[in-house]
Amino acid sequence: MTKLGLPDHIRACLFDLDGVLTRTAVVHAAAWKEMFDDFLRRRDGDGFRPFDPVADYDEYVDGRPRADGVRTFLASRGIELPEGADDDPPERETVHGLGNRKNVLVLARIREQGVDAYPGSVRFAEAVRAEGLRTAVVSSSANCRDVLVSAGIESLFEVRIDGVVAAERKLPGKPHPDTFLEAARELGVEPGAAAVFEDALAGMDAGRAGRFGYVVGVDRVGQADALRKHGADTVVQDLAELLEERR
């Protein structure tokens, strides 16, 4: 293992954004809950079963492209909606309409609350750059660049494969490995020479499916066992732990 706590053959690090680099996972979970609870209340009345911002978020939404998150959660409740179009207004009850409503809510929360990066993740990314490894951000979020800029960490990453890029290149999102594979391709490394850093179960599945050289699960919410079950080679609560292990 290197001083970064990674296998010797690793030449690039591919980081998820929300929950790994920035404290935005809780913001996204709150926005999903507000949107789904409003939809379910209107559909089922006051006796509706609310969206669980931990269990439902982790299982059906976290790490997935927005429309996939809507479909997957609604399917878990036996609900099917028309697909609609990418530009459906937020009030329209379609898959894309609900997704766009969630985006309006999360952007408002980000504007009001700002975005912070995890200090340990910044330390680790800086150490990765100092050791000469390549770096990329791989996120399903269409707001990835704005979040990186707001958190002041955009310059730490050479490549960004986010929701905008994935749509342009028609790349399926996590749990498929295609966005991570695209990041490795842009960095000029084989998947086996790249490490994936993820906090989402869908991201773990993507790392395993892509046969990446090392998959690090970041456990912010107490799901270490689930991260390992979904393919993590190691699990940490903060990326700085990887540096401390090598002291």
Side-chain angles (χ1 to χ4, degrees):
M1 301 292 276
T2 68
K3 65 176 64 176
L4 298 169
L6 301 174
D8 294 339
H9 66 277
I10 296 299
R11 297 290 176 264
C13 294
L14 316 178
F15 298 90
D16 177 46
L17 178 68
D18 303 318
V20 172
L21 297 173
T22 58
R23 301 177 187 272
T24 39
V26 65
V27 179
H28 282 280
W32 280 113
K33 178 172 176 59
E34 182 176 350
M35 181 277 289
F36 277 131
D37 282 1
D38 179 64
F39 167 76
L40 293 168
R41 183 181 293 107
R42 285 185 281 107
R43 177 187 174 89
D44 300 332
D46 289 340
F48 77 99
R49 178 156 60 100
F51 177 85
D52 188 311
V54 177
D56 287 332
Y57 179 76
D58 291 343
E59 184 69 23
Y60 306 119
V61 171
D62 191 19
R64 300 177 188 270
R66 197 183 307 146
D68 288 351
V70 174
R71 288 188 208 96
T72 305
F73 171 72
L74 292 182
S76 77
R77 298 293 180 92
I79 300 170
E80 185 174 345
L81 291 180
E83 282 292 303
D86 288 346
D87 60 353
D88 273 5
E91 64 273 11
R92 187 164 294 168
E93 290 194 353
T94 62
V95 167
H96 288 284
L98 292 186
N100 291 338
R101 174 61 180 160
K102 179 264 174 179
N103 196 47
V104 168
L105 294 170
V106 80
L107 288 175
R109 289 172 182 270
I110 288 172
R111 283 194 298 269
E112 293 165 5
Q113 302 171 17
V115 177
D116 292 324
Y118 287 102
S121 296
V122 175
R123 280 181 53 209
F124 184 79
E126 290 173 341
V128 165
R129 294 291 297 269
E131 289 298 307
L133 275 65
R134 312 295 301 277
T135 57
V137 173
V138 182
S139 171
S140 62
S141 174
N143 307 310
C144 179
R145 183 177 183 276
D146 291 338
V147 171
L148 291 173
V149 171
S150 178
I153 58 173
E154 184 185 23
S155 63
L156 291 174
F157 308 99
E158 304 167 65
V159 165
R160 184 185 77 252
I161 304 295
D162 59 10
V164 175
V165 175
E168 290 172 350
R169 301 182 189 180
K170 295 180 169 53
L171 302 172
K174 308 166 192 177
H176 300 285
D178 300 62
T179 50
F180 281 116
L181 292 171
E182 184 76 354
R185 186 191 66 79
E186 284 210 10
L187 290 175
V189 300
E190 293 297 321
V196 166
F197 299 81
E198 264 283 358
D199 71 317
L201 302 183
M204 291 290 99
D205 293 338
R208 179 170 56 186
R211 299 188 177 183
F212 289 92
Y214 203 60
V215 180
V216 178
V218 183
D219 179 25
R220 307 286 190 192
V221 295
Q223 58 174 2
D225 289 344
L227 290 168
R228 291 189 183 93
K229 181 179 179 181
H230 282 256
D233 293 303
T234 189
V235 175
V236 296
Q237 292 182 332
D238 188 274
L239 293 187
E241 292 174 29
L242 294 171
L243 302 176
E244 292 163 2
E245 288 174 1
R246 307 308 299 170
R247 285 181 180 175

